């Protein structure tokens, strides 16, 4: 911007200098040097020097150059200083209604260094989209200004004709470098606001062109937890928000990352992918709350990591610009035992969503102490492998360490069993999409083996025919020799 501003100012100097008589040139140059590129002073100077300007000056061109210089100076001021003196912010943030907006709505719990809007209406998606459209309009205007400056500098003969075309420029027509000048718009909210009530709005934005970045905090209610202020029995509806990232994959053009604060390396890679992607993106993050979910504060990262290991919240990333086709653009890096059904604890035992839920008090109603008259107890991992008839004679149980080598056994409710099966099916879908474990592999291998076998048999038949002809010819030669 500063380079273009200086070059435009030089063009103004040259235009004025060429239009003045030689004896007034020195005085005009000294006057221009004193302006120090302050456009208001330069405009006044041009007005004062109007009588000294000769008839050779192109008034229309000079007017364009002055307006360009003024616009470039304003752009440089906004980028370097801005209204608050900090320059242009790199990120704009919209906090959707929910726990995040409630926390940030009251001073002094909002020490943000960039522009933030806390939505209280529940329409945070539309608000963020509208703000982003405004930012893109401003970015387009700035790009038009710089393109006009380059025309005047590099192609002055075509500037007049092409200016009108630049006025109709849309943000979709900007280059990647020009689009990168637009600050990132980040929409943050919890799964209840963006994953349920605002799901249709979020899906529409992620399937569009606006480069909006959505940061959704997964609550992992699993359809089982009930807020304490609501006196209702345990819910039985599935938790659709747990599959939010998987649902977004159907948009295909949106960058998707599902990550956890318990896996910092994966979290960093996911954040970089989402922020740098040129189009819409979703970052689905599991950040458990000790207060709301019911566990000790010092176990926060541990609980987040266990959710990944229990397949409650598997990690994955999808990059629409990756190499290959859809499945090859999905990576499950960061998950324990990516080829297996379940992750394992430190003792090498498989852990299911029920094992994870046992560590949070909000799921206490899903576990019943094992009674003596319960049918044959069976670990939940093995129980899930049984048929419906076999399950009728078994009791699914999970164990919880009680210290000193003791363990307490709990019977798992039917609702939590269904959740465990649902999470397992979701993990298998990811494995198949990513091409790690898929039934089509065996089918392709079988078909390939059959083709190889058929080709081999055809080759053997051809060789046998050749050998038979050779044997027949040799037989005739031997008979001829024998007769001789």
């Amino acid at each position: 911007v500063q380079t273009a501003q200086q070059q435009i100012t030089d063009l103004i100097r040259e235009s004025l200098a060429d239009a003045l008589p030689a004896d007034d040139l020195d005085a005009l140059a000294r006057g221009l040097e004193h302006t120090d590129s302050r456009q208001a002073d330069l405009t006044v100077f041009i007005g004062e020097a109007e009588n000294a300007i000769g008839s050779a000056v192109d008034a229309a061109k000079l007017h364009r150059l002055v307006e360009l210089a003024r616009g470039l100076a304003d752009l440089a001021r906004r980028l370097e200083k801005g209204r608050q003196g900090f320059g242009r912010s790199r990120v704009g943030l919209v906090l959707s209604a929910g726990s995040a907006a409630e926390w940030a709505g009251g001073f002094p719990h909002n020490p943000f260094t960039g522009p933030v809007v806390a939505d209280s209406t529940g329409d945070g998606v539309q608000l963020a989209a509208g703000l982003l459209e405004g930012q893109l309009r401003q970015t387009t205007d700035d790009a038009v200004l710089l393109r006009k400056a380059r025309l005047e500098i590099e192609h002055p003969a075509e500037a007049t004709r092409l200016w009108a075309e630049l006025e109709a420029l849309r943000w979709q027509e900007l280059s990647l470098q020009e689009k990168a000048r637009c600050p990132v718009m980040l929409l943050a909210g919890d799964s209840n606001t963006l994953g349920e009530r605002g799901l249709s709005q979020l899906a529409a934005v992620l399937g569009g062109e606006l480069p909006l970045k959505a940061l959704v905090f997964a609550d992992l209610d699993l359809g089982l937890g009930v807020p304490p202020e609501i006196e209702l029995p345990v819910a039985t509806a599935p938790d659709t928000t747990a599959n939010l990232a998987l649902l977004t994959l159907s948009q295909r053009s949106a960058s998707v990352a599902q990550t956890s604060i318990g896996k910092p390396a994966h979290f960093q890679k996911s954040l970089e992918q989402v922020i740098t992607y040129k189009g819409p993106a979703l970052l689905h993050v599991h950040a458990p709350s000790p207060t709301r979910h019911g566990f000790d504060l010092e176990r926060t990262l541990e609980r987040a990591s266990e959710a990944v290991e229990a397949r409650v919240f598997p990690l994955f990333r999808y990059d629409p610009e990756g190499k290959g086709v859809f499945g090859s653009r999905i990576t499950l890096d960061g998950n324990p035992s990516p080829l297996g059904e379940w992750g394992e604890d430190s003792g090498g035992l498989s852990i299911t969503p029920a094992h994870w839920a046992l560590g949070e008090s909000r799921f206490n109603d899903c576990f019943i102490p094992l009674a003596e008259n319960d049918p044959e107890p069976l670990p939940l991992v093995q129980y899930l492998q049984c048929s419906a008839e076999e399950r009728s004679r078994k009791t699914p149980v999970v164990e919880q360490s009680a210290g000193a080598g003791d363990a307490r056994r709990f019977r798992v409710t039917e609702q939590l069993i269904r959740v465990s099966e649902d999470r397992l099916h979701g993990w298998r879908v990811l494995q198949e999409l990513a091409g790690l474990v898929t039934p089509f592999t065996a089918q392709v291998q079988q078909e390939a083996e059959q083709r190889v076998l058929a080709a081999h048999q055809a080759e053997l038949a051809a060789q046998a025919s050749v050998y038979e002809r050779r044997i027949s010819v040799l037989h005739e030669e031997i008979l001829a020799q024998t007769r001789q």
Side-chain angles (χ1 to χ4, degrees), residues 384-421:
L384 293 175
Q385 300 174 353
C386 296
S387 63
E389 182 180 356
E390 293 173 335
R391 290 185 181 187
S392 62
R393 301 188 298 269
K394 309 290 183 180
T395 300
V397 297
V398 293
E399 292 186 353
Q400 184 181 49
S401 176
D406 297 331
R408 293 179 298 178
R409 295 196 296 177
F410 295 91
R411 177 163 56 90
V412 182
T413 62
E414 188 64 30
Q415 294 88 344
L416 188 51
I417 293 175
R418 287 200 295 267
V419 168
S420 299
E421 291 177 326

Side-chain angles (χ1 to χ4, degrees), residues 6 9 21 76 109 117 170 184 199 209 223 230 243 254 274-275 293 308-309 321 337 359 367 392 396 445 453:
Q6 183 61 46
T9 303
H109 303 295
V117 177
R170 301 184 305 157
V184 175
L199 181 59
E209 297 180 334
I230 302 178
N243 292 320
V274 165
I275 294 298
H293 300 165
V308 175
E309 296 162 358
E321 296 181 333
S337 305
F367 301 96
S392 62
Q445 182 179 358
L453 179 60

Side-chain angles (χ1 to χ4, degrees), residues 456-471:
H456 183 60
Q457 290 176 345
E459 183 179 358
L460 290 177
Q463 291 179 355
S465 177
V466 171
Y467 286 137
E468 288 176 358
R469 288 197 298 270
R470 289 181 180 178
I471 292 173

Side-chain angles (χ1 to χ4, degrees), residues 18 62 119 138 241 375:
D18 292 342
L62 183 60
D119 171 57
Q138 181 65 61
T241 62

